[in-house]
């Protein structure tokens, strides 16, 4: 499986998707290949005095179970 620019998008594997990955022994690979939703921030850079502002997406607050962002080509590798 290779990277295809026309299909370069991300999947967010949440708790429901992790039921599937747990059932088929794929969760460890998901954790290695994906980006943990609780371990990143969004940085916005403004051209004025605000400068750079970092924030955590409200839908991904630390009190929720971790989800994983994974590129399509990495997810397909995980499935094969």
């Amino acid at each position: 499986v290779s990277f295809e620019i026309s299909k370069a998008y991300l999947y967010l594997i949440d708790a429901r998707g992790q039921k599937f990955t747990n059932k088929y022994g794929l969760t460890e690979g998901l954790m290695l290949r994906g980006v943990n939703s609780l371990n990143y921030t969004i940085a916005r850079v403004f051209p004025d005095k605000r400068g750079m502002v970092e924030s955590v997406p409200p839908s991904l607050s630390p009190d929720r179970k971790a989800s994983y962002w994974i590129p399509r080509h990495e997810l397909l590798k995980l499935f094969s």
Side-chain angles (χ1 to χ4, degrees):
V1 178
S2 62
F3 177 78
E4 296 176 63
I5 191 73
S6 64
K7 297 178 183 176
Y9 44 86
L10 301 172
Y11 287 97
L12 179 62
I13 310 300
D14 62 6
R16 292 180 305 154
Q18 289 175 50
K19 288 180 184 177
F20 174 86
T21 60
N22 289 338
K23 182 176 180 177
Y24 293 99
L26 302 171
T27 304
E28 185 176 336
L30 175 66
M31 293 169 73
L32 292 172
R33 294 172 189 250
V35 174
N36 183 323
S37 66
L38 304 178
N39 195 20
Y40 80 97
T41 58
I42 295 175
R44 296 175 68 188
V45 180
F46 296 94
D48 57 21
K49 65 181 179 180
R50 291 178 288 175
M52 186 175 78
V53 177
E54 289 189 13
S55 63
V56 174
S59 63
L60 302 175
S61 62
D63 59 328
R64 297 184 65 173
K65 181 178 171 150
S67 297
Y68 293 88
W69 290 100
I70 185 167
R72 177 185 177 275
H73 70 283
E74 289 293 333
L75 184 61
L76 293 176
K77 286 180 190 176
L78 185 64
F79 290 158
S80 58

